[in-house]
Short mmCIF file of all heavy atoms in Angstrom, two decimals:
data_model
loop_
_atom_site.label_atom_id
_atom_site.label_comp_id
_atom_site.label_asym_id
_atom_site.label_seq_id
_atom_site.Cartn_x
_atom_site.Cartn_y
_atom_site.Cartn_z
N MET A 51 55.91 79.94 55.28
CA MET A 51 54.86 80.59 54.55
C MET A 51 53.65 79.66 54.46
O MET A 51 53.78 78.48 54.14
CB MET A 51 55.35 80.97 53.15
CG MET A 51 54.32 81.66 52.34
SD MET A 51 54.78 82.13 50.64
CE MET A 51 56.52 82.10 50.57
N LYS A 52 52.48 80.18 54.73
CA LYS A 52 51.25 79.40 54.70
C LYS A 52 50.82 79.16 53.24
O LYS A 52 50.80 80.09 52.44
CB LYS A 52 50.15 80.16 55.44
CG LYS A 52 48.84 79.44 55.48
CD LYS A 52 47.79 80.25 56.22
CE LYS A 52 46.45 79.59 56.11
NZ LYS A 52 45.38 80.44 56.62
N LYS A 53 50.51 77.91 52.93
CA LYS A 53 50.06 77.58 51.59
C LYS A 53 48.59 77.96 51.46
O LYS A 53 47.77 77.61 52.29
CB LYS A 53 50.25 76.10 51.30
CG LYS A 53 49.88 75.74 49.89
CD LYS A 53 50.18 74.31 49.55
CE LYS A 53 49.74 74.07 48.13
NZ LYS A 53 50.07 72.76 47.67
N VAL A 54 48.27 78.69 50.40
CA VAL A 54 46.91 79.13 50.15
C VAL A 54 46.31 78.26 49.05
O VAL A 54 46.93 78.05 48.02
CB VAL A 54 46.90 80.62 49.70
CG1 VAL A 54 45.50 81.10 49.45
CG2 VAL A 54 47.61 81.49 50.71
N THR A 55 45.10 77.75 49.29
CA THR A 55 44.41 76.96 48.26
C THR A 55 42.96 77.42 48.17
O THR A 55 42.35 77.79 49.17
CB THR A 55 44.44 75.45 48.56
OG1 THR A 55 43.84 75.21 49.82
CG2 THR A 55 45.85 74.91 48.57
N PHE A 56 42.43 77.38 46.98
CA PHE A 56 41.05 77.75 46.74
C PHE A 56 40.42 76.64 45.91
O PHE A 56 41.05 76.11 45.00
CB PHE A 56 40.95 79.08 45.97
CG PHE A 56 41.60 80.22 46.69
CD1 PHE A 56 42.83 80.71 46.30
CD2 PHE A 56 40.97 80.82 47.77
CE1 PHE A 56 43.43 81.76 46.96
CE2 PHE A 56 41.56 81.88 48.44
CZ PHE A 56 42.78 82.36 48.04
N LYS A 57 39.17 76.30 46.22
CA LYS A 57 38.49 75.24 45.49
C LYS A 57 37.52 75.78 44.45
O LYS A 57 37.13 75.07 43.54
CB LYS A 57 37.73 74.34 46.47
CG LYS A 57 38.67 73.60 47.39
CD LYS A 57 37.92 72.74 48.36
CE LYS A 57 38.92 72.07 49.30
NZ LYS A 57 38.31 71.46 50.44
N SER A 58 37.14 77.06 44.57
CA SER A 58 36.21 77.64 43.61
C SER A 58 36.40 79.15 43.54
O SER A 58 37.00 79.76 44.43
CB SER A 58 34.76 77.34 44.00
OG SER A 58 34.41 78.05 45.17
N TYR A 59 35.87 79.72 42.48
CA TYR A 59 35.94 81.18 42.30
C TYR A 59 35.27 81.91 43.46
O TYR A 59 35.74 82.94 43.92
CB TYR A 59 35.27 81.54 40.96
CG TYR A 59 35.16 83.02 40.71
CD1 TYR A 59 36.27 83.76 40.31
CD2 TYR A 59 33.95 83.69 40.85
CE1 TYR A 59 36.18 85.12 40.08
CE2 TYR A 59 33.85 85.05 40.61
CZ TYR A 59 34.97 85.75 40.23
OH TYR A 59 34.88 87.10 40.01
N GLU A 60 34.18 81.35 43.97
CA GLU A 60 33.43 81.98 45.05
C GLU A 60 34.24 82.08 46.33
O GLU A 60 33.99 82.96 47.16
CB GLU A 60 32.11 81.23 45.30
CG GLU A 60 31.08 81.39 44.20
CD GLU A 60 31.39 80.58 42.94
OE1 GLU A 60 32.10 79.55 43.03
OE2 GLU A 60 30.95 80.99 41.86
N GLU A 61 35.20 81.20 46.54
CA GLU A 61 36.04 81.22 47.74
C GLU A 61 37.08 82.33 47.72
O GLU A 61 37.63 82.67 48.76
CB GLU A 61 36.76 79.89 47.92
CG GLU A 61 35.87 78.76 48.35
CD GLU A 61 36.66 77.49 48.60
OE1 GLU A 61 37.90 77.47 48.44
OE2 GLU A 61 36.03 76.49 48.96
N LEU A 62 37.35 82.87 46.55
CA LEU A 62 38.37 83.92 46.47
C LEU A 62 37.91 85.18 47.18
O LEU A 62 36.74 85.55 47.10
CB LEU A 62 38.65 84.27 45.00
CG LEU A 62 39.25 83.19 44.12
CD1 LEU A 62 39.30 83.67 42.67
CD2 LEU A 62 40.62 82.80 44.60
N PRO A 63 38.84 85.88 47.86
CA PRO A 63 38.47 87.15 48.46
C PRO A 63 38.22 88.19 47.36
O PRO A 63 38.67 88.02 46.22
CB PRO A 63 39.70 87.53 49.30
CG PRO A 63 40.81 86.73 48.76
CD PRO A 63 40.22 85.51 48.11
N MET A 64 37.51 89.26 47.70
CA MET A 64 37.19 90.31 46.72
C MET A 64 38.47 90.90 46.12
O MET A 64 38.54 91.18 44.94
CB MET A 64 36.38 91.42 47.37
CG MET A 64 35.95 92.48 46.39
SD MET A 64 35.17 93.96 47.09
CE MET A 64 34.12 93.31 48.33
N MET A 65 39.49 91.08 46.95
CA MET A 65 40.78 91.60 46.51
C MET A 65 41.83 90.56 46.84
O MET A 65 41.97 90.16 48.00
CB MET A 65 41.12 92.91 47.23
CG MET A 65 40.10 94.00 46.99
SD MET A 65 40.07 94.53 45.29
CE MET A 65 41.10 95.96 45.40
N LEU A 66 42.56 90.10 45.84
CA LEU A 66 43.58 89.07 46.05
C LEU A 66 44.95 89.70 46.20
O LEU A 66 45.29 90.65 45.48
CB LEU A 66 43.62 88.12 44.85
CG LEU A 66 42.42 87.24 44.66
CD1 LEU A 66 41.57 87.76 43.52
CD2 LEU A 66 42.85 85.84 44.41
N SER A 67 45.74 89.15 47.11
CA SER A 67 47.14 89.53 47.19
C SER A 67 47.86 88.85 46.03
O SER A 67 47.31 87.96 45.37
CB SER A 67 47.74 89.08 48.52
OG SER A 67 47.87 87.67 48.55
N VAL A 68 49.10 89.23 45.81
CA VAL A 68 49.88 88.62 44.74
C VAL A 68 50.04 87.11 45.01
O VAL A 68 49.90 86.30 44.08
CB VAL A 68 51.25 89.32 44.60
CG1 VAL A 68 52.13 88.62 43.59
CG2 VAL A 68 51.06 90.78 44.21
N LEU A 69 50.29 86.73 46.24
CA LEU A 69 50.45 85.31 46.57
C LEU A 69 49.15 84.54 46.42
O LEU A 69 49.15 83.39 45.96
CB LEU A 69 51.03 85.15 47.97
CG LEU A 69 52.43 85.72 48.17
CD1 LEU A 69 52.88 85.52 49.60
CD2 LEU A 69 53.41 85.10 47.20
N GLU A 70 48.02 85.14 46.79
CA GLU A 70 46.73 84.49 46.61
C GLU A 70 46.42 84.29 45.14
O GLU A 70 45.90 83.26 44.73
CB GLU A 70 45.62 85.30 47.28
CG GLU A 70 45.66 85.27 48.79
CD GLU A 70 44.74 86.26 49.44
OE1 GLU A 70 44.44 87.33 48.85
OE2 GLU A 70 44.31 85.99 50.58
N MET A 71 46.77 85.29 44.32
CA MET A 71 46.54 85.17 42.89
C MET A 71 47.41 84.07 42.30
O MET A 71 46.95 83.29 41.45
CB MET A 71 46.80 86.49 42.17
CG MET A 71 46.40 86.43 40.71
SD MET A 71 46.72 87.93 39.82
CE MET A 71 48.42 87.68 39.35
N ALA A 72 48.66 83.97 42.74
CA ALA A 72 49.55 82.90 42.26
C ALA A 72 48.96 81.54 42.58
O ALA A 72 48.95 80.65 41.72
CB ALA A 72 50.93 83.05 42.89
N ALA A 73 48.42 81.39 43.79
CA ALA A 73 47.81 80.11 44.19
C ALA A 73 46.57 79.83 43.34
O ALA A 73 46.36 78.70 42.89
CB ALA A 73 47.45 80.14 45.67
N ALA A 74 45.75 80.84 43.11
CA ALA A 74 44.52 80.66 42.34
C ALA A 74 44.82 80.29 40.89
O ALA A 74 44.11 79.47 40.30
CB ALA A 74 43.66 81.92 42.40
N LEU A 75 45.85 80.89 40.32
CA LEU A 75 46.19 80.63 38.92
C LEU A 75 47.14 79.44 38.75
O LEU A 75 47.36 78.98 37.63
CB LEU A 75 46.83 81.87 38.28
CG LEU A 75 45.94 83.09 38.16
CD1 LEU A 75 46.73 84.26 37.56
CD2 LEU A 75 44.71 82.79 37.33
N GLY A 76 47.73 78.98 39.85
CA GLY A 76 48.66 77.87 39.77
C GLY A 76 49.98 78.24 39.12
O GLY A 76 50.56 77.44 38.38
N ILE A 77 50.44 79.46 39.39
CA ILE A 77 51.71 79.92 38.82
C ILE A 77 52.68 80.24 39.95
O ILE A 77 52.30 80.34 41.11
CB ILE A 77 51.54 81.13 37.88
CG1 ILE A 77 50.97 82.34 38.63
CG2 ILE A 77 50.66 80.76 36.70
CD1 ILE A 77 50.87 83.60 37.78
N SER A 78 53.95 80.41 39.59
CA SER A 78 54.98 80.69 40.59
C SER A 78 54.88 82.13 41.09
O SER A 78 54.27 82.99 40.45
CB SER A 78 56.37 80.48 39.99
OG SER A 78 56.65 81.51 39.05
N ARG A 79 55.49 82.37 42.21
CA ARG A 79 55.52 83.72 42.79
C ARG A 79 56.23 84.69 41.83
O ARG A 79 55.77 85.80 41.61
CB ARG A 79 56.23 83.66 44.14
CG ARG A 79 56.29 84.96 44.85
CD ARG A 79 56.94 84.77 46.20
NE ARG A 79 57.14 86.06 46.83
CZ ARG A 79 57.65 86.22 48.01
NH1 ARG A 79 58.02 85.18 48.71
NH2 ARG A 79 57.81 87.42 48.51
N ALA A 80 57.34 84.25 41.25
CA ALA A 80 58.08 85.10 40.31
C ALA A 80 57.23 85.40 39.08
O ALA A 80 57.19 86.54 38.60
CB ALA A 80 59.38 84.43 39.91
N GLY A 81 56.56 84.40 38.57
CA GLY A 81 55.68 84.59 37.41
C GLY A 81 54.54 85.53 37.73
O GLY A 81 54.11 86.33 36.88
N ASP A 82 54.04 85.45 38.94
CA ASP A 82 52.95 86.30 39.37
C ASP A 82 53.37 87.77 39.42
O ASP A 82 52.65 88.64 38.95
CB ASP A 82 52.45 85.83 40.73
CG ASP A 82 51.03 86.27 41.01
OD1 ASP A 82 50.28 86.51 40.05
OD2 ASP A 82 50.68 86.37 42.19
N TYR A 83 54.54 88.03 39.99
CA TYR A 83 55.02 89.42 40.05
C TYR A 83 55.29 89.97 38.66
O TYR A 83 55.04 91.14 38.39
CB TYR A 83 56.26 89.54 40.95
CG TYR A 83 55.89 89.65 42.40
CD1 TYR A 83 55.98 88.56 43.25
CD2 TYR A 83 55.42 90.86 42.93
CE1 TYR A 83 55.61 88.66 44.60
CE2 TYR A 83 55.06 90.97 44.26
CZ TYR A 83 55.17 89.87 45.08
OH TYR A 83 54.79 89.98 46.40
N GLU A 84 55.77 89.13 37.76
CA GLU A 84 55.97 89.56 36.37
C GLU A 84 54.61 89.91 35.73
O GLU A 84 54.48 90.92 35.05
CB GLU A 84 56.65 88.45 35.57
CG GLU A 84 56.94 88.82 34.15
CD GLU A 84 57.66 87.70 33.40
OE1 GLU A 84 58.35 86.89 34.04
OE2 GLU A 84 57.51 87.66 32.17
N LEU A 85 53.61 89.09 35.99
CA LEU A 85 52.28 89.31 35.44
C LEU A 85 51.66 90.61 35.95
O LEU A 85 51.11 91.39 35.16
CB LEU A 85 51.37 88.13 35.79
CG LEU A 85 49.97 88.13 35.19
CD1 LEU A 85 50.02 88.17 33.67
CD2 LEU A 85 49.22 86.89 35.66
N VAL A 86 51.77 90.90 37.25
CA VAL A 86 51.14 92.12 37.77
C VAL A 86 51.81 93.39 37.25
O VAL A 86 51.21 94.46 37.31
CB VAL A 86 51.06 92.14 39.32
CG1 VAL A 86 50.22 91.01 39.83
CG2 VAL A 86 52.42 92.17 39.97
N ARG A 87 53.02 93.26 36.73
CA ARG A 87 53.71 94.43 36.16
C ARG A 87 53.44 94.59 34.66
O ARG A 87 53.90 95.54 34.03
CB ARG A 87 55.21 94.31 36.40
CG ARG A 87 55.55 94.48 37.87
CD ARG A 87 57.05 94.44 38.11
NE ARG A 87 57.35 94.60 39.51
CZ ARG A 87 57.62 93.61 40.36
NH1 ARG A 87 57.65 92.36 39.92
NH2 ARG A 87 57.90 93.86 41.62
N THR A 88 52.67 93.68 34.09
CA THR A 88 52.34 93.73 32.67
C THR A 88 51.33 94.84 32.40
O THR A 88 50.34 94.96 33.13
CB THR A 88 51.74 92.37 32.22
OG1 THR A 88 52.67 91.34 32.51
CG2 THR A 88 51.40 92.37 30.75
N GLU A 89 51.56 95.61 31.36
CA GLU A 89 50.63 96.68 31.00
C GLU A 89 49.26 96.09 30.67
O GLU A 89 49.15 95.09 29.98
CB GLU A 89 51.15 97.46 29.79
CG GLU A 89 50.33 98.68 29.49
CD GLU A 89 50.92 99.53 28.38
OE1 GLU A 89 52.13 99.47 28.16
OE2 GLU A 89 50.16 100.24 27.73
N GLY A 90 48.23 96.69 31.21
CA GLY A 90 46.88 96.24 30.96
C GLY A 90 46.37 95.22 31.98
O GLY A 90 45.20 94.86 31.96
N PHE A 91 47.26 94.74 32.85
CA PHE A 91 46.83 93.79 33.88
C PHE A 91 46.15 94.56 35.01
O PHE A 91 46.63 95.61 35.42
CB PHE A 91 48.01 92.98 34.41
CG PHE A 91 47.58 91.86 35.29
CD1 PHE A 91 47.11 90.68 34.74
CD2 PHE A 91 47.60 91.99 36.66
CE1 PHE A 91 46.67 89.65 35.55
CE2 PHE A 91 47.18 90.97 37.48
CZ PHE A 91 46.71 89.79 36.92
N PRO A 92 45.04 94.05 35.55
CA PRO A 92 44.24 94.80 36.52
C PRO A 92 44.76 94.78 37.97
O PRO A 92 44.06 94.41 38.90
CB PRO A 92 42.87 94.12 36.44
CG PRO A 92 43.21 92.69 36.12
CD PRO A 92 44.38 92.80 35.18
N ALA A 93 46.01 95.17 38.16
CA ALA A 93 46.58 95.22 39.51
C ALA A 93 46.50 96.65 40.04
O ALA A 93 46.68 97.60 39.29
CB ALA A 93 48.03 94.75 39.48
N LEU A 94 46.24 96.76 41.33
CA LEU A 94 46.20 98.06 41.99
C LEU A 94 47.29 98.13 43.03
O LEU A 94 47.51 97.15 43.76
CB LEU A 94 44.86 98.25 42.71
CG LEU A 94 43.59 98.17 41.90
CD1 LEU A 94 42.39 98.14 42.83
CD2 LEU A 94 43.50 99.35 40.97
N LYS A 95 47.96 99.25 43.10
CA LYS A 95 48.95 99.44 44.16
C LYS A 95 48.31 100.32 45.22
O LYS A 95 47.90 101.44 44.94
CB LYS A 95 50.22 100.06 43.61
CG LYS A 95 51.33 100.07 44.63
CD LYS A 95 52.67 100.35 44.02
CE LYS A 95 53.72 100.22 45.12
NZ LYS A 95 55.05 100.44 44.63
N ILE A 96 48.19 99.78 46.42
CA ILE A 96 47.62 100.51 47.54
C ILE A 96 48.72 100.61 48.59
O ILE A 96 49.04 99.61 49.25
CB ILE A 96 46.37 99.81 48.11
CG1 ILE A 96 45.31 99.69 47.02
CG2 ILE A 96 45.83 100.56 49.32
CD1 ILE A 96 44.08 98.90 47.41
N GLY A 97 49.33 101.77 48.68
CA GLY A 97 50.51 101.91 49.54
C GLY A 97 51.62 101.06 48.96
O GLY A 97 52.00 101.21 47.81
N THR A 98 52.10 100.13 49.76
CA THR A 98 53.16 99.24 49.28
C THR A 98 52.60 97.89 48.82
O THR A 98 53.34 97.05 48.31
CB THR A 98 54.19 98.97 50.40
OG1 THR A 98 53.52 98.41 51.53
CG2 THR A 98 54.88 100.26 50.80
N ARG A 99 51.30 97.67 49.01
CA ARG A 99 50.66 96.40 48.62
C ARG A 99 50.18 96.44 47.18
O ARG A 99 49.75 97.47 46.69
CB ARG A 99 49.45 96.11 49.50
CG ARG A 99 49.80 95.70 50.89
CD ARG A 99 48.59 95.17 51.62
NE ARG A 99 48.19 93.90 51.01
CZ ARG A 99 46.97 93.40 51.09
NH1 ARG A 99 46.03 94.04 51.73
NH2 ARG A 99 46.67 92.26 50.51
N ILE A 100 50.25 95.29 46.54
CA ILE A 100 49.66 95.12 45.22
C ILE A 100 48.49 94.16 45.39
O ILE A 100 48.65 93.08 45.95
CB ILE A 100 50.68 94.52 44.22
CG1 ILE A 100 51.87 95.46 44.05
CG2 ILE A 100 50.00 94.26 42.87
CD1 ILE A 100 53.01 94.88 43.24
N VAL A 101 47.31 94.58 44.94
CA VAL A 101 46.12 93.74 45.04
C VAL A 101 45.44 93.66 43.68
O VAL A 101 45.62 94.54 42.83
CB VAL A 101 45.12 94.26 46.10
CG1 VAL A 101 45.72 94.16 47.49
CG2 VAL A 101 44.67 95.67 45.82
N ILE A 102 44.68 92.60 43.51
CA ILE A 102 44.00 92.35 42.24
C ILE A 102 42.53 92.06 42.53
O ILE A 102 42.22 91.10 43.24
CB ILE A 102 44.62 91.14 41.49
CG1 ILE A 102 46.13 91.35 41.27
CG2 ILE A 102 43.92 90.91 40.17
CD1 ILE A 102 47.01 90.84 42.36
N PRO A 103 41.61 92.89 42.00
CA PRO A 103 40.19 92.61 42.21
C PRO A 103 39.81 91.31 41.49
O PRO A 103 40.15 91.13 40.32
CB PRO A 103 39.48 93.80 41.55
CG PRO A 103 40.53 94.85 41.37
CD PRO A 103 41.83 94.13 41.25
N LYS A 104 39.13 90.40 42.20
CA LYS A 104 38.86 89.09 41.60
C LYS A 104 37.98 89.19 40.36
O LYS A 104 38.18 88.44 39.41
CB LYS A 104 38.27 88.12 42.62
CG LYS A 104 36.80 88.20 42.87
CD LYS A 104 36.36 87.05 43.77
CE LYS A 104 34.88 87.03 43.97
NZ LYS A 104 34.45 85.90 44.80
N ASP A 105 37.03 90.13 40.32
CA ASP A 105 36.18 90.24 39.13
C ASP A 105 36.97 90.73 37.92
O ASP A 105 36.78 90.27 36.80
CB ASP A 105 34.96 91.12 39.40
CG ASP A 105 35.30 92.53 39.84
OD1 ASP A 105 36.39 92.75 40.40
OD2 ASP A 105 34.46 93.42 39.64
N LYS A 106 37.92 91.65 38.15
CA LYS A 106 38.77 92.14 37.05
C LYS A 106 39.75 91.06 36.59
O LYS A 106 40.07 90.97 35.40
CB LYS A 106 39.53 93.40 37.46
CG LYS A 106 38.62 94.56 37.79
CD LYS A 106 37.85 95.01 36.58
CE LYS A 106 36.97 96.19 36.92
NZ LYS A 106 36.08 96.55 35.82
N LEU A 107 40.22 90.24 37.53
CA LEU A 107 41.11 89.13 37.16
C LEU A 107 40.37 88.15 36.26
O LEU A 107 40.90 87.72 35.23
CB LEU A 107 41.62 88.41 38.41
CG LEU A 107 42.46 87.16 38.15
CD1 LEU A 107 43.72 87.51 37.38
CD2 LEU A 107 42.80 86.47 39.47
N LYS A 108 39.13 87.82 36.61
CA LYS A 108 38.34 86.90 35.78
C LYS A 108 38.12 87.48 34.39
O LYS A 108 38.26 86.78 33.39
CB LYS A 108 37.00 86.60 36.44
CG LYS A 108 36.18 85.57 35.67
CD LYS A 108 34.95 85.18 36.41
CE LYS A 108 34.13 84.10 35.75
NZ LYS A 108 34.11 84.03 34.33
N GLU A 109 37.80 88.78 34.30
CA GLU A 109 37.63 89.44 33.00
C GLU A 109 38.91 89.37 32.19
O GLU A 109 38.89 89.08 30.99
CB GLU A 109 37.23 90.90 33.18
CG GLU A 109 35.82 91.13 33.67
CD GLU A 109 35.53 92.60 33.94
OE1 GLU A 109 36.26 93.48 33.41
OE2 GLU A 109 34.59 92.88 34.69
N TRP A 110 40.05 89.64 32.84
CA TRP A 110 41.34 89.63 32.16
C TRP A 110 41.64 88.22 31.62
O TRP A 110 42.07 88.07 30.48
CB TRP A 110 42.45 90.10 33.10
CG TRP A 110 43.78 90.17 32.44
CD1 TRP A 110 44.29 91.22 31.75
CD2 TRP A 110 44.77 89.14 32.39
NE1 TRP A 110 45.55 90.90 31.28
CE2 TRP A 110 45.85 89.63 31.66
CE3 TRP A 110 44.83 87.85 32.90
CZ2 TRP A 110 47.00 88.88 31.42
CZ3 TRP A 110 45.97 87.10 32.65
CH2 TRP A 110 47.04 87.61 31.92
N VAL A 111 41.40 87.20 32.44
CA VAL A 111 41.63 85.83 32.00
C VAL A 111 40.73 85.50 30.81
O VAL A 111 41.20 84.98 29.80
CB VAL A 111 41.39 84.82 33.16
CG1 VAL A 111 41.36 83.39 32.64
CG2 VAL A 111 42.46 84.98 34.23
N ASP A 112 39.44 85.85 30.91
CA ASP A 112 38.50 85.58 29.81
C ASP A 112 38.95 86.26 28.52
O ASP A 112 38.84 85.67 27.43
CB ASP A 112 37.09 86.06 30.18
CG ASP A 112 36.45 85.19 31.25
OD1 ASP A 112 36.92 84.07 31.52
OD2 ASP A 112 35.46 85.67 31.87
N GLN A 113 39.47 87.48 28.60
CA GLN A 113 39.90 88.22 27.42
C GLN A 113 41.21 87.68 26.83
O GLN A 113 41.47 87.87 25.66
CB GLN A 113 40.08 89.70 27.74
CG GLN A 113 38.79 90.41 28.05
CD GLN A 113 39.01 91.82 28.57
OE1 GLN A 113 40.13 92.27 28.76
NE2 GLN A 113 37.92 92.53 28.82
N ASN A 114 42.01 87.02 27.66
CA ASN A 114 43.33 86.58 27.22
C ASN A 114 43.43 85.08 26.97
O ASN A 114 44.52 84.59 26.67
CB ASN A 114 44.39 87.04 28.22
CG ASN A 114 44.59 88.54 28.14
OD1 ASN A 114 45.30 89.02 27.27
ND2 ASN A 114 43.94 89.27 29.00
N VAL A 115 42.35 84.37 27.08
CA VAL A 115 42.36 82.94 26.79
C VAL A 115 42.63 82.75 25.30
O VAL A 115 42.05 83.43 24.46
CB VAL A 115 41.02 82.29 27.19
CG1 VAL A 115 40.90 80.87 26.65
CG2 VAL A 115 40.86 82.29 28.69
N GLY A 116 43.53 81.88 24.99
CA GLY A 116 43.84 81.59 23.58
C GLY A 116 44.86 82.55 22.98
O GLY A 116 45.05 82.56 21.78
N GLY A 117 45.51 83.34 23.82
CA GLY A 117 46.57 84.23 23.32
C GLY A 117 46.09 85.40 22.51
O GLY A 117 46.77 85.90 21.65
N LYS A 118 44.87 85.85 22.76
CA LYS A 118 44.32 86.99 22.01
C LYS A 118 45.05 88.25 22.34
O LYS A 118 45.52 88.50 23.38
CB LYS A 118 42.85 87.17 22.32
CG LYS A 118 42.00 86.04 21.80
CD LYS A 118 40.54 86.30 22.12
CE LYS A 118 39.70 85.15 21.64
NZ LYS A 118 38.31 85.33 21.96
#
């Protein structure tokens, strides 16, 4: 499996795969799949793929910082 790394928000693709999101957030693959199944998380299912819009991910992170 190819390791994905990002150095800045601008480098992220418009739509992140689950593995790209795990790399961007620095979490495990299992943790990432648990997160995308959480109610209110901005994941989209397109066919069999799960993708996350990077702008919605940033909004979600901003809203959930500090355990709000």
Side-chain angles (χ1 to χ4, degrees):
M51 180 181 342
K52 181 180 173 189
K53 184 174 179 176
V54 181
T55 58
F56 301 103
K57 295 179 183 167
S58 70
Y59 175 76
E60 290 75 26
E61 288 184 0
L62 296 173
M64 184 188 319
M65 300 294 263
L66 292 104
S67 70
V68 175
L69 296 179
E70 289 169 332
M71 188 181 85
L75 295 178
I77 62 176
S78 71
R79 182 177 173 178
D82 202 24
Y83 277 101
E84 182 178 333
L85 185 58
V86 298
R87 290 183 180 99
T88 303
E89 187 174 335
F91 189 79
L94 302 170
K95 189 165 185 179
I96 301 174
T98 58
R99 287 191 68 204
I100 298 172
V101 295
I102 304 90
K104 83 173 184 178
D105 58 335
K106 297 296 181 187
L107 175 62
K108 184 174 183 328
E109 288 175 20
W110 183 87
V111 169
D112 289 344
Q113 292 172 357
N114 289 279
V115 168
K118 292 181 182 178

